[in-house]
Amino acid sequence: MASAQISMYLPPDVNPSQAAIAYGCRALPKLNKELQSEDLLTRQKALMALCDLVHDPEHVYVAIDIGCLESLKALLKDTNDMVRLKTTEVLYIMATHNVGREGFLKYDVIHALSYLLHDPQAACRENLHLAYKHLAQVPSGAQGIVNSGLIPALVWKLQREEENIQELLLDTLAACLMEDATEALDSRLVPFLKEKLLSTNNNIRSKAARTLVAISIPLEGKKQIWQYDVIPILVHLLKDKVKEVQANAAGALMYATVTTEELGFSLSLLPEDAICMHLPSRLHCHRPVDGRGSCAVPPPLRVRWAPSLVSCLPTVPTEARVTTSKHILENAMPLLN
């Protein structure tokens, strides 16, 4: 027979680590009030609940509208490690939405996050750089990071962070340098990137080469790439086993070799087959052959243009401007037809 005794156990769908979420439009205002509580456990539970809600961009919009960003900025200075960790997690999730990125710029969250660049908790710093990475995906966000004067600090941290955080830093720097590379060049980023090109980590080599693409667009960037002898390493990476590394290295070469007064000198440093050796290895048919053993697809459709080949092709006219390079390209003309 059933008993009328009330169970002392929580219902199975209740998470004791999260704050109880109010119904409907009261949910986020209640959590925002709990974020400002003096009780540590209340703040922690509110942050745990907010982490789940901000995956929805509509909730992000409401949270920004009621002032949650100001509450979160205050929690970034909390003395409790878990509070700072969950606060940065909430912020990086918000940064994945466009409305969240706009809120970051409006309420100056970029500057508030910068106080945690030297936080003792690695997970906290990782969330911080995830937020910057997502923010930098839009031009206004990348420009906001540059305007905040954070580029020298990010370059300095590149040499001292763990590898997984270095990857995030390189993603952020690559996007920011497309807006303005001046501070990065003044902070000696090029020799740091040269070291990263020699890393055993495939992702770091690829992202370092991509960052060099951005830094080699301005003339001063081109000069520093030659000054620090980065070109031989980029040429070597054209033979890397990872295709992304090959493509990004070819892109960096494409920009770095398009110089003005030192064009002849710079191209004379390249191995004779630096570009030509990469062309035939990227041209191949990927469609079935017919009964006569030849490709059944018309010639214009036979080639699958790999990113590395597309980056190499703009370098060909640059080399052709130098007399000593013309005879090398003559041998490669059949590959370009």
Side-chain angles (χ1 to χ4, degrees), residues 65-94:
D65 188 54
I66 64 175
C68 277
L69 280 180
E70 293 296 338
S71 301
L72 292 170
K73 285 169 60 177
L75 291 178
L76 288 174
K77 300 179 181 180
D78 199 284
T79 56
N80 182 264
D81 292 343
M82 181 56 68
V83 170
R84 296 198 308 277
L85 174 61
K86 300 308 292 186
T87 302
T88 53
E89 183 177 344
V90 171
L91 289 172
Y92 101 72
I93 296 174
M94 293 178 72

Side-chain angles (χ1 to χ4, degrees), residues 150-197:
L150 291 177
I151 297 301
L154 297 179
V155 172
W156 186 84
K157 294 294 289 184
L158 185 61
Q159 287 295 98
R160 294 159 178 82
E161 280 290 4
E162 302 171 3
E163 284 194 345
N164 61 320
I165 300 180
Q166 288 180 26
E167 295 178 20
L168 300 175
L169 276 164
L170 289 169
D171 286 332
T172 303
L173 287 171
C176 292
L177 298 185
M178 297 296 292
E179 301 298 322
D180 187 358
T182 304
E183 288 186 338
L185 291 169
D186 294 340
S187 303
R188 293 176 50 85
L189 176 59
V190 174
F192 293 160
L193 292 177
K194 179 181 177 180
E195 295 180 14
K196 300 305 175 185
L197 292 176

Side-chain angles (χ1 to χ4, degrees), residues 98-304:
N98 189 55
V99 63
R101 292 189 285 264
E102 291 177 356
F104 272 42
L105 298 175
K106 181 178 179 180
Y107 293 96
D108 197 23
V109 179
I110 298 175
H111 183 69
L113 279 169
S114 66
Y115 290 110
L116 299 183
L117 281 172
H118 307 288
D119 193 273
Q121 297 297 321
C124 187
R125 299 196 306 274
E126 182 177 2
N127 290 338
L128 155 72
H129 290 294
L130 276 169
Y132 281 161
K133 172 190 172 181
H134 292 306
L135 181 62
Q137 300 309 304
V138 294
S140 58
Q143 190 63 56
I145 295 175
V146 173
N147 293 341
S148 297
L150 291 177
I151 297 301
L154 297 179
V155 172
W156 186 84
K157 294 294 289 184
L158 185 61
Q159 287 295 98
R160 294 159 178 82
E161 280 290 4
E162 302 171 3
E163 284 194 345
N164 61 320
I165 300 180
Q166 288 180 26
E167 295 178 20
L168 300 175
L169 276 164
L170 289 169
D171 286 332
T172 303
L173 287 171
C176 292
L177 298 185
M178 297 296 292
E179 301 298 322
D180 187 358
T182 304
E183 288 186 338
L185 291 169
D186 294 340
S187 303
R188 293 176 50 85
L189 176 59
V190 174
F192 293 160
L193 292 177
K194 179 181 177 180
E195 295 180 14
K196 300 305 175 185
L197 292 176
L198 303 174
S199 172
T200 56
N201 186 309
N202 294 338
N203 290 332
I204 289 182
R205 288 202 311 278
S206 175
K207 295 175 186 294
R210 187 178 66 177
T211 307
L212 277 171
V213 173
I215 209 169
S216 61
I217 294 176
L219 180 60
E220 181 59 31
K222 295 178 174 64
K223 290 180 179 179
Q224 289 198 20
I225 287 177
W226 290 104
Q227 175 186 348
Y228 292 106
D229 204 24
V230 181
I231 293 297
I233 300 177
L234 291 173
V235 172
H236 175 73
L237 291 180
L238 293 176
K239 298 180 180 180
D240 196 277
K241 61 182 179 180
V242 181
K243 292 184 178 180
E244 288 78 6
V245 176
Q246 296 176 4
N248 291 329
L253 283 171
M254 175 183 69
Y255 285 108
T257 56
V258 184
T259 56
T260 52
E261 65 273 4
E262 297 181 356
L263 176 63
F265 172 72
S266 61
L267 290 178
S268 67
L269 299 178
L270 284 168
E272 290 191 351
D273 60 347
I275 301 301
C276 297
M277 69 179 180
H278 210 56
L279 293 176
S281 65
R282 293 293 172 264
L283 297 175
H284 59 281
C285 179
H286 65 287
R287 302 295 292 274
V289 296
D290 58 16
R292 295 170 294 180
S294 60
C295 185
V297 184
L301 302 179
R302 291 182 185 178
V303 177
R304 180 169 62 191

